[in-house]
Amino acid sequence: MDNVQKSRKRGFLFYISIYRKILVQDLKTRMSYRSDFIISTLGMIMTDLSGFVTFMILFHNFPAINGWDYHHMLFLYGFSLIALTPVQCFFDNNWNLRFMVRSGDFIKYCFRPINVFFYFISEVFDVKGIGQFIFGMGTFIYAWNHIGIPVTFVTVVRAVLFLSTASLFMIAIMNAAAATCFWIINSGYVMVIMFRFKDFAKYPASIFNRVFRFIFTFLIPIAFVAYYPSLVFVTPDHVPLLSWLSPFIGVLFFYLSYRFWMLGVRRYDFTGS
Amino acid sequence: MKNVKKLTALTRAGIMESLQFRLGTAVTLFANLIYLALVYFLWKAIYESAGTDTVNGMTFYDTMIYLILATAVFNLLEMFIVWDMSRAIQSGEIIMHLLKPMKYRLYTFWSYSGSYVVSFFLTFIPTFLVVMLVTHGAVPVGMNLIYFALSLILALVINFNIEMLVAPVCLYTESTWGINIVKETVVLLLSGASIPLAFFPEGLRRAVDYMPFRAVYDIPLTILLKKNGSDTPEGLLSLLGLQLIWCIVLTLAGNLFWNYAVKRITVNGG
């Protein structure tokens, strides 16, 4: 109880310095597997490239998707790739959570005088996400130029703000999906399913009917990863309210997923395995 | 006779194992339905903006049936050999497999056969029936079903051999995730599982025709839908023949590579 009290008082700077230390350790161990780094980065770029090729083939046969032409679709694709980078780089350890919980190794995270979620997540930094970020940036800037969005102080600040908050949605989804393992044994499939749904982040949510649009806006917020925030840039004249609100909704979803994750940790303590 | 019994025992064990996680199977089944609905909305929007009903010889229904059944075949064929093998190598468990009085490749194939049986009846057949209902019988029913089954078995063997060709690469590097994702991306894109091969531009199409990936998804589905002249005996035979050739080539290549790579296994302790 004493520890919990103390950790609450610890400031942002303290956590940043800890993160840096853990990150350096992780990178050192990674560097000893250099071929793994190269192949994984290559694999990451291959997946992004194959998504790109799929677009090329689609637009070779069809002029548009629901009024979104080639460059607008590329804008969405680039946007989604950038917004999906943080979950890949910083939150990859969620994939190991179920093994840790099952084997009992997870208990080590509960004995540190820092936030359990922070400590667990900070342990892995996934380098291969950087390849995706670079590919996404290239696509995003290319599409931005071709659509002819003006480059002003306001649009650039908006881009940074909306991209960074859009990334919170996928983080929230994966946090919640990973945390199911505190209740269900072998819940890896929940993560796999959610990870598959992200394939649809790169398409306009307007193609769905009302029920599915509701599900993918408020329950599994895939539509917020790229569609709603990009409307701010693509159709600046009539932006729906949800697009303007998306940064706040992102923070809310992230907070909820964090609470859910921590609820699981509490439960884990109680079973005492 | 004793041999067959040995193999069916593995099949039975596999069936029991995959029926163990019923909740997982049910949730995955449900998620697959939602995923298919998403695919439906996407292609409906795509066809609506095209303005014509038929694009490159494919109607909206053709595309839907093709993609839905491709997903079903994907679920059926999904194997985790790359992961299994790298885990077995890292833990040293691979030694136990190699000591078994049975060829490792044969053992792996037959221990997967149980999950094939389960997912054929639990995913493939229901998906197929749903497709039949929704499209009001747009899938032709006749001898093509039998040819399709035959082609599917060949596809299964080809897919297994692609996996077994990729998996031993784990012996050379520690990059399981990377190798697996490269394999998956290449197979899904070039086999027509994510976008039907009929939409590929001419040059790419011709290149893909010379690759084995097409034999995994495109050929069985083409035969089922009676496209590309597969309703004539010559067309059918050339497609099945192509599959058979890839089957033999990949089995030989897989055997050679495995026999070569297995000598490199080093297990620390274990």
Side-chain angles (χ1 to χ4, degrees), chain A residues 5-222:
Chain A
Q5 289 289 310
K6 250 187 228 159
S7 74
R8 288 246 168 86
K9 280 181 205 136
R10 286 197 164 126
F12 191 59
L13 283 176
F14 169 79
Y15 275 105
I16 293 223
S17 82
I18 285 221
Y19 192 83
R20 221 191 59 229
K21 280 177 193 148
I22 300 176
L23 180 72
V24 170
Q25 289 312 315
D26 183 48
L27 284 181
K28 274 183 196 158
T29 46
R30 294 274 161 147
M31 278 306 138
S32 56
Y33 297 102
R34 199 153 303 167
S35 63
D36 176 47
F37 168 69
I38 295 168
I39 295 175
S40 300
T41 311
L42 199 79
M44 202 75 199
I45 293 175
M46 288 272 288
T47 13
D48 300 335
L49 206 65
S50 106
F52 191 73
V53 171
T54 312
F55 268 137
M56 300 269 280
I57 296 171
L58 261 184
F59 282 97
H60 177 80
N61 296 284
F62 301 92
I65 301 175
N66 207 269
W68 290 64
D69 67 15
Y70 179 61
H71 289 114
H72 283 80
M73 284 299 293
L74 277 189
F75 186 86
L76 260 186
Y77 186 46
F79 197 103
S80 72
L81 283 182
I82 300 171
L84 292 173
T85 301
V87 73
Q88 185 72 49
C89 281
F90 302 110
F91 291 81
D92 206 46
N93 213 17
N94 267 330
W95 287 96
N96 298 325
L97 184 64
R98 63 180 192 278
F99 301 119
M100 298 265 189
V101 166
R102 217 180 158 187
S103 68
D105 289 339
F106 186 75
I107 202 76
K108 81 168 189 195
Y109 299 97
C110 306
F111 289 150
R112 299 289 195 280
I114 50 173
N115 183 297
V116 182
F117 178 71
F118 170 82
Y119 182 41
F120 180 78
I121 290 300
S122 64
E123 213 174 43
V124 169
F125 174 83
D126 192 26
V127 199
K128 59 184 179 284
I130 293 172
Q132 171 170 321
F133 180 73
I134 294 167
F135 192 88
M137 273 308 257
T139 315
F140 186 71
I141 292 170
Y142 172 82
W144 178 297
N145 274 333
H146 271 263
I147 297 173
I149 301 168
V151 185
T152 63
F153 178 71
V154 178
T155 51
V156 172
V157 168
R158 264 186 201 164
V160 173
L161 173 73
F162 279 89
L163 278 169
S164 46
T165 50
S167 69
L168 291 174
F169 288 98
M170 200 58 204
I171 293 171
I173 293 174
M174 292 317 273
N175 278 345
T180 54
C181 77
F182 288 112
W183 287 273
I184 311 166
I185 297 172
N186 250 325
S187 74
Y189 54 87
V190 180
M191 292 192 83
V192 172
I193 289 166
M194 292 303 161
F195 207 63
R196 252 179 97 198
F197 281 147
K198 91 174 184 335
D199 293 351
F200 276 82
K202 58 177 185 268
Y203 298 112
S206 53
I207 61 175
F208 304 137
N209 71 5
R210 220 183 277 159
V211 178
F212 276 84
R213 212 179 306 162
F214 179 82
I215 293 175
F216 288 102
T217 303
F218 296 110
L219 298 181
I220 307 171
I222 296 288

Side-chain angles (χ1 to χ4, degrees), chain B residues 26-51:
Chain B
V27 173
T28 309
L29 213 69
F30 181 67
N32 273 338
L33 284 180
I34 295 182
Y35 195 83
L36 290 179
L38 296 183
V39 174
Y40 167 81
F41 287 126
L42 174 65
W43 283 89
K44 210 176 98 175
I46 290 173
Y47 265 90
E48 265 166 14
S49 56

Side-chain angles (χ1 to χ4, degrees), chain B residues 28-155:
Chain B
T28 309
L29 213 69
F30 181 67
N32 273 338
L33 284 180
I34 295 182
Y35 195 83
L36 290 179
L38 296 183
V39 174
Y40 167 81
F41 287 126
L42 174 65
W43 283 89
K44 210 176 98 175
I46 290 173
Y47 265 90
E48 265 166 14
S49 56
T52 52
D53 289 339
T54 313
V55 179
N56 272 9
M58 297 280 278
T59 64
F60 172 61
Y61 271 148
D62 286 341
T63 311
M64 271 327 286
I65 295 167
Y66 186 101
L67 286 172
I68 289 176
L69 291 181
T71 315
V73 173
F74 172 76
N75 288 326
L76 179 68
L77 297 185
E78 196 173 25
M79 298 178 113
F80 303 96
I81 293 183
V82 178
W83 287 107
D84 291 346
M85 199 188 276
S86 90
R87 211 171 296 140
I89 290 166
Q90 274 164 20
S91 69
E93 196 196 331
I94 189 104
I95 292 299
M96 298 312 290
H97 292 305
L98 292 175
L99 287 176
K100 284 197 173 97
M102 194 174 183
K103 288 259 171 62
Y104 181 71
R105 282 169 53 91
L106 203 65
Y107 171 77
T108 313
F109 184 78
W110 283 95
S111 46
Y112 262 101
S113 61
S115 65
Y116 287 148
V117 174
V118 171
S119 58
F120 183 76
F121 285 106
L122 285 186
T123 19
F124 190 78
I125 296 279
T127 317
F128 187 76
L129 291 178
V130 168
V131 169
M132 288 293 282
L133 274 177
V134 172
T135 60
H136 307 291
V139 186
V141 176
M143 279 305 279
N144 61 331
L145 288 182
I146 293 165
Y147 301 138
F148 170 71
L150 189 66
S151 170
L152 196 61
I153 292 171
L154 288 171

